[in-house]
Amino acid sequence: ETGVTQSPTHLIKTRGQQVTLRCSSQSGHNTVSWYQQALGQGPQFIFQYYREEENGRGNFPPRFSGLQFPNYSSELNVNALELDDSALYLCASSLLSSSGNTIYFGEGSWLTVV
Amino acid sequence: AQKITQTQPGMFVQEKEAVTLDCTYDTSDQSYGLFWYKQPSSGEMIFLIYQGSYDEQNATEGRYSLNFQKARKSANLVISASQLGDSAMYFCAMEGLGAGGTSYGKLTFGQGTILTVHP
């Protein structure tokens, strides 16, 4: 049990639509990161939020955006969906600190774009 | 920039035997962390073990141990006494650490190794 929950678990969208994926982070964790994992690949870093501000971004276009809320929950929004956006989207939470490190993932949201 | 290389697309092991999954990395960061995750077909990324670049001793967590060889930039995962439930995809990942070893939670992953445990 990681304490990180994601919703929905599966969804199907049409090309051009918009989608919002949600993540509830482990209590006390002040950073949340989102990853995209295409079939047969390792996860790719999309962006990270720390104290509700974007704190780093991978090689993803601006139509990928996010929010982090004061209760440590988070959203990933993708606009103008493309077929290549079909993937598993993973949320990870961690505590920004200098003492040890643990990064926990949720079970992911499977997105299919048709 | 960081890079993780997992050269074994698939590995097979007999139940109760030990298996080593290879991972090499490349980074310009002075301080970094190395992770191993297990991903079953359900998709959840399950944390297994962590090794800091500053740790002199190899990390161990139950049946999992990390064979860390800093000079060779390798961080191999050793699973002892394999079980049927160990069959899954395994990912090696790393993050560069900030000043004072601060973690920012940004991981770079390898391509993964599919482990199959035979009865």
Side-chain angles (χ1 to χ4, degrees):
Chain A
E1 189 62 46
T2 67
V4 181
T5 57
Q6 292 186 242
S7 62
T9 54
H10 295 80
L11 71 166
I12 300 173
K13 289 286 189 177
T14 304
R15 189 172 51 181
Q17 284 188 316
Q18 180 266 344
V19 68
T20 298
L21 307 178
R22 294 180 174 83
C23 173
S24 175
S25 302
Q26 188 173 108
S27 176
H29 278 191
N30 52 15
T31 71
V32 63
S33 302
W34 285 91
Y35 294 80
Q36 180 195 66
Q37 186 179 14
L39 200 61
Q41 304 289 321
Q44 299 292 315
F45 174 75
I46 302 174
F47 47 55
Q48 182 194 64
Y49 279 78
Y50 171 62
R51 291 184 177 174
E52 303 167 49
E53 298 280 338
E54 188 177 294
N55 187 41
R57 189 177 188 94
N59 189 25
F60 282 83
R63 59 188 185 85
F64 286 78
S65 63
L67 287 170
Q68 185 186 26
F69 301 101
N71 64 355
Y72 303 121
S73 64
S74 172
E75 287 182 356
L76 165 65
N77 298 291
V78 187
N79 294 322
L81 283 167
E82 301 176 0
L83 297 179
D84 285 347
D85 295 334
S86 295
L88 175 66
Y89 289 85
L90 293 162
C91 166
S93 77
S94 60
L95 180 62
L96 182 65
S97 76
S98 59
S99 56
N101 186 9
T102 309
I103 301 175
Y104 290 113
F105 284 81
E107 294 188 3
S109 294
W110 294 89
L111 171 65
T112 302
V113 182
V114 298
Chain B
Q2 292 146 4
K3 185 177 181 181
I4 295 283
T5 302
Q6 295 180 253
T7 57
Q8 306 154 314
M11 288 286 286
F12 295 89
V13 66
Q14 206 72 26
E15 193 178 9
K16 300 180 185 176
E17 298 289 315
V19 64
T20 298
L21 306 184
D22 294 341
C23 172
T24 58
Y25 62 90
D26 194 17
T27 181
S28 56
D29 291 309
Q30 293 292 320
S31 180
Y32 48 90
L34 296 155
F35 299 75
W36 277 92
Y37 287 89
K38 171 185 177 182
Q39 187 177 44
S41 56
S42 62
E44 183 180 7
M45 198 71 75
I46 301 168
F47 170 78
L48 295 178
I49 196 166
Y50 171 81
Q51 176 87 42
S53 61
Y54 39 80
D55 293 332
E56 294 186 354
Q57 287 201 324
N58 287 340
T60 59
E61 289 284 350
R63 296 187 298 113
Y64 305 107
S65 60
L66 198 152
N67 184 1
F68 180 46
Q69 299 189 42
K70 193 170 183 178
R72 300 177 109 179
K73 293 188 174 180
S74 73
N76 299 339
L77 176 70
V78 180
I79 305 174
S80 62
S82 296
Q83 302 172 355
L84 296 178
D86 293 337
S87 294
M89 176 73 90
Y90 287 80
F91 286 100
C92 179
M94 74 176 300
E95 67 162 342
L97 299 177
T102 300
S103 165
Y104 293 95
K106 302 176 189 176
L107 296 174
T108 299
F109 283 84
Q111 290 291 89
T113 297
I114 299 175
L115 176 66
T116 303
V117 181
H118 289 301

